[in-house]
Amino acid sequence: MTTNNIILTGGCLCGALRYQTTAQPFDSDHCHCTVCQKSTGAAVGSWMDFKRVQVTWIQGQVTEYASSDTIRRGFCHLCGSTLSYRSTDYPDYYTLSITSLDDANQVQPKYHIHTASAVSWLVIDDELPRYANARSSD
């Protein structure tokens, strides 16, 4: 892969893990579910979706935690940074944390999901669509 093909780069807090993508994400969102809240340590997780072949780990590999039968959440085993999310039901897709990008301003979420689980003290002050649950179920 030449540097001309690299679109986005990112990694964990300590620098042990680095990735690059060969495309812009095909989707992106803010997730307010309680599992994202617990796994990220934040009120909301902001995610971007790619085809699996568009993401390459160029340094290190994520450690994955099975947060359910089909969901794997990836993090750095050294610094604990939340980096990835994937469903074993959809092996051709891979989700990365937007804030793990070297420049998180390169990708903007398109909507909010699981707002029924949003913390009451967080004020959402944008015009993005909101879904009480997953986008496909509303």
Side-chain angles (χ1 to χ4, degrees):
M1 178 181 311
T2 67
T3 56
N4 294 338
N5 295 335
I6 298 169
I7 305 297
L8 300 170
T9 58
C12 66
L13 177 63
C14 72
L17 303 180
R18 298 286 303 154
Y19 65 82
Q20 62 191 25
T21 75
T22 58
Q24 289 289 333
F26 66 83
D27 209 357
S28 55
D29 64 75
H30 291 299
C31 182
H32 299 264
C33 80
T34 56
V35 180
C36 279
Q37 291 169 0
K38 292 272 187 193
S39 70
T40 64
V44 60
S46 299
W47 301 103
M48 53 185 175
D49 301 318
F50 298 89
K51 292 180 181 176
R52 180 69 185 108
V53 297
Q54 297 170 326
V55 177
T56 302
W57 290 97
I58 56 174
Q59 183 173 304
Q61 289 292 317
V62 293
T63 299
E64 290 189 326
Y65 170 73
S67 60
S68 71
D69 289 342
T70 61
I71 302 302
R72 305 296 179 263
R73 293 173 180 274
F75 61 96
C76 175
H77 76 282
L78 294 175
C79 66
S81 294
T82 297
L83 294 166
S84 65
Y85 170 102
R86 69 180 181 90
S87 171
T88 58
D89 288 338
Y90 303 99
D92 295 334
Y93 299 102
Y94 201 73
T95 299
L96 292 168
S97 166
I98 293 172
T99 54
S100 69
L101 286 169
D102 292 336
D103 179 0
N105 291 309
Q106 291 179 291
V107 175
Q108 182 173 336
K110 298 175 182 175
Y111 53 89
H112 295 264
I113 57 174
H114 297 287
T115 57
S117 303
V119 293
S120 62
W121 44 262
L122 178 68
V123 177
I124 303 171
D125 187 24
D126 62 38
E127 300 300 320
L128 298 176
R130 299 171 192 189
Y131 302 91
N133 298 298
R135 186 171 63 155
S136 60
S137 66
D138 283 349

